[in-house]
Amino acid sequence: MITMKSLSTSDYSDLIDDLKGELGGKFESLIVALMTPPIAYDVTCLRNAIKGAGTDEKVLVEILASRTPQQVKDIIAAYRQEYDDDLEEDVCGDTSGHFKRLLVILLQANRQTGIQEGNIESDAQALFKAGEQKYGTDEQSFVTILGNRSAEHLRKVFDAYMKMTGYEMEESIQRETSGNLSALLLAVVKCARSVPAYFAETLYYAMKGAGTDDDTLIRVMVSRSEVDLLDIRSHFRRLFACSLHSMIRGDTGGDYRKALLLLCGGDDA
């Protein structure tokens, strides 16, 4: 039996080329993505986001906010091996300001581990002083705290912040920041709360309304298919008035729809 692991690099490249020759459109993009190993797929997505016409900040936000520190380290190593380039340098060359600073912190993949009990109240207070209590916003405080603390610690900070201010962390970020920085801070907060819930929301808004963001739909369905898609389905059903399966069925067509539904699995209606 031939498996993906038994294929040489040249055989793998030939297989992808053959698939591209036989398929087309969104269905081709989905199948080629599914044939690509997970780290290599993240690397390709990041490269295309940086080196394409303009910068696709949405991809940088989604991948770097949601991956574990070890996954980020693996992505950086694979990026260097594939392109002989430094991912951090490429990101820095394409971004600016506090958005760039937070991306760099995430790329350094040095988040603290565990909960620093003694810092929960002081972190919540620092975030309050940096935003709601201040005329203007001290973005650097948001970047430093949200970029460096562990998810477990941040969840405690968000609870303390809510008790202190009466606001959810997300509300304050939306009021106090804007643009790409706001999108990245929100993604970091949502992923600290629950990565599957973050991706459930990402999938919902990729399909909601007129038109479908197929790039995001494919990227999330493929990258989470062997990670937490069952959890994403569960959160999707709880957060929205339909199942992920039913929304995909209503928003896509043909072989593309069939493949996505197979990837999704059961209907949680």
Side-chain angles (χ1 to χ4, degrees):
M1 177 183 171
I2 297 175
T3 65
M4 289 297 294
K5 288 181 179 177
S6 69
L7 292 174
S8 68
T9 302
S10 60
D11 287 338
Y12 171 73
S13 298
D14 289 344
L15 177 59
I16 293 295
D17 288 340
D18 287 346
L19 285 169
K20 286 181 177 178
E22 294 295 323
L23 306 174
K26 294 174 286 193
F27 183 53
E28 176 193 302
S29 299
L30 175 60
I31 297 303
V32 169
L34 285 167
M35 297 294 290
T36 307
I39 294 294
Y41 183 57
D42 278 351
V43 164
T44 301
C45 289
L46 288 167
R47 180 72 170 190
N48 292 341
I50 297 166
K51 296 298 183 182
T55 306
D56 190 342
E57 291 88 355
K58 184 191 295 184
V59 176
L60 300 182
V61 167
E62 180 195 298
I63 293 177
L64 295 179
S66 65
R67 302 309 190 252
T68 66
Q70 187 56 54
Q71 286 171 329
V72 171
K73 288 173 184 174
D74 291 343
I75 287 167
I76 290 168
Y79 188 94
R80 183 180 291 281
Q81 184 175 358
E82 181 67 24
Y83 301 112
D84 196 27
D85 279 332
D86 184 281
L87 179 56
E88 185 179 319
E89 287 181 10
D90 284 353
V91 167
C92 285
D94 245 41
T95 57
S96 61
H98 289 97
F99 178 59
K100 175 175 81 172
R101 290 177 193 172
L102 182 49
L103 287 171
V104 168
I105 288 173
L106 296 175
L107 281 164
Q108 288 168 351
N110 286 324
R111 274 192 186 279
Q112 296 168 349
T113 56
I115 299 169
Q116 282 75 49
E117 293 288 351
N119 292 340
I120 293 169
E121 290 293 327
S122 59
D123 281 349
Q125 188 71 47
L127 289 168
F128 181 46
K129 286 180 178 175
E132 298 286 357
Q133 201 179 39
K134 183 182 175 67
Y135 180 73
T137 307
D138 173 12
E139 290 93 346
Q140 189 57 46
S141 291
F142 282 87
V143 167
T144 301
I145 293 170
L146 297 178
N148 286 297
R149 308 294 192 262
S150 71
E152 309 96 288
H153 180 84
L154 286 175
R155 287 194 292 272
K156 297 276 191 184
V157 171
F158 301 156
D159 289 343
Y161 185 87
M162 180 67 179
K163 286 177 188 170
M164 186 182 296
T165 67
Y167 299 124
E168 293 286 8
M169 194 71 248
E170 293 90 334
E171 292 178 81
S172 291
I173 287 170
Q174 287 172 320
R175 264 200 301 274
E176 297 295 329
T177 63
S178 60
N180 291 324
L181 175 62
S182 183
L184 182 54
L185 288 168
L186 284 171
V188 168
V189 169
K190 289 173 182 178
C191 286
R193 290 193 191 277
S194 167
V195 171
Y198 167 72
F199 280 116
E201 189 177 317
T202 302
L203 285 168
Y204 178 76
Y205 287 108
M207 292 182 279
K208 182 180 182 286
T212 303
D213 181 353
D214 290 293
D215 289 342
T216 297
L217 179 56
I218 290 169
R219 193 172 56 249
V220 175
M221 291 297 292
V222 170
S223 65
R224 310 313 292 185
S225 61
E226 296 182 20
V227 182
D228 53 6
L229 196 51
L230 276 173
D231 291 332
I232 290 169
R233 274 172 43 188
S234 174
H235 281 281
F236 195 100
R237 188 70 188 86
R238 187 169 53 79
L239 290 167
F240 308 109
C242 60
S243 67
L244 177 59
H245 191 280
S246 67
M247 199 161 186
I248 291 170
R249 191 173 62 240
D251 229 56
T252 58
D255 290 332
Y256 175 56
R257 173 168 62 187
K258 289 177 188 173
L260 283 171
L261 290 176
L262 282 169
L263 204 53
C264 178
D267 188 353
D268 308 300

